[in-house]
Amino acid sequence: MTTDLTPELAATIEEAFAKRDRANMGPTIAFFEKLLSEHPDNPHVLYEVGGSYDTAGQEEKAVGYYERALPGLTGETRRKCLLQYGSTLRNLERFDESLAVFKDACAEYPESDSLRVFKALTLNAAGKHGKALATLLLVIADKVDSAEIKRYEAAIRGNADYLANLG
């Protein structure tokens, strides 16, 4: 039993992912559950099973797979799993847990704009609207390369700081 992502396993996952139908996730879930029985505890397969349940709207089931997958994942796959896990927790209204996941994930992957955007969604859902907007303003200030944004960058950052520090 290997927990590695062999080229063969990666190709199998990619092929199944390409065939998925977001409107009918049953076949994809069945495929990944079968693959998991062939590769027990493989974090990459666990992640895909969780993602399949998540896409199907079965967030409660997805959480357990993400939690089992995360300790064995690294790099880009880990970043994606953290994002999906945190987002799923938000959808389940487990806002404190979601925010903790996003806080740690943003520290682990500070270059990830998508983590910051999804953290903002959780902040907003948790009623922390100022902090959510502040998070998005910083993504804009950091990443939008336009003369208009650059001209007002100091003001954008100042407003983000103000909003982030509101009660």
Side-chain angles (χ1 to χ4, degrees), residues 17-61:
F17 193 79
K19 291 180 183 177
R20 81 179 174 156
D21 176 2
R22 293 178 73 89
N24 178 18
M25 288 299 293
T28 301
I29 290 169
F31 177 86
F32 282 120
E33 286 280 13
K34 181 178 181 303
L35 191 62
L36 184 60
S37 72
E38 298 165 8
H39 300 273
D41 297 318
N42 183 294
H44 300 278
V45 180
L46 286 164
Y47 163 63
E48 296 297 343
V49 174
S52 298
Y53 279 116
D54 205 355
T55 301
Q58 297 179 48
E59 288 94 348
E60 284 288 352
K61 270 192 151 176

Side-chain angles (χ1 to χ4, degrees), residues 2-161:
T2 179
T3 59
D4 294 336
L5 182 62
T6 63
E8 297 79 17
L9 183 56
T12 300
I13 290 171
E14 189 174 316
E15 183 180 325
F17 193 79
K19 291 180 183 177
R20 81 179 174 156
D21 176 2
R22 293 178 73 89
N24 178 18
M25 288 299 293
T28 301
I29 290 169
F31 177 86
F32 282 120
E33 286 280 13
K34 181 178 181 303
L35 191 62
L36 184 60
S37 72
E38 298 165 8
H39 300 273
D41 297 318
N42 183 294
H44 300 278
V45 180
L46 286 164
Y47 163 63
E48 296 297 343
V49 174
S52 298
Y53 279 116
D54 205 355
T55 301
Q58 297 179 48
E59 288 94 348
E60 284 288 352
K61 270 192 151 176
V63 165
Y65 288 101
Y66 290 151
E67 289 171 347
R68 287 174 53 202
L70 277 166
L73 296 175
T74 60
E76 182 66 7
T77 305
R78 179 173 169 79
R79 185 201 60 76
K80 291 189 293 189
C81 188
L82 286 165
L83 187 147
Q84 290 170 224
Y85 177 48
S87 185
T88 298
L89 291 170
R90 179 192 74 243
N91 290 339
L92 293 170
E93 298 184 5
R94 292 165 58 179
F95 302 130
D96 290 342
E97 292 170 78
S98 176
L99 287 172
V101 168
F102 282 119
K103 179 183 177 196
D104 292 344
C106 287
E108 189 172 341
Y109 299 94
E111 74 290 347
S112 176
D113 300 323
S114 60
L115 283 170
R116 293 194 293 166
V117 168
F118 278 83
K119 177 183 178 184
L121 290 170
T122 296
L123 287 164
N124 186 67
K128 299 176 181 187
H129 308 296
K131 290 184 186 313
L133 182 54
T135 300
L136 293 177
L137 285 173
L138 290 175
V139 172
I140 290 167
D142 290 346
K143 297 298 180 169
V144 176
D145 186 18
S146 77
E148 286 182 79
I149 296 296
K150 294 302 176 198
R151 176 182 171 94
Y152 298 105
E153 182 178 351
I156 292 168
R157 290 184 186 284
N159 279 286
D161 186 54

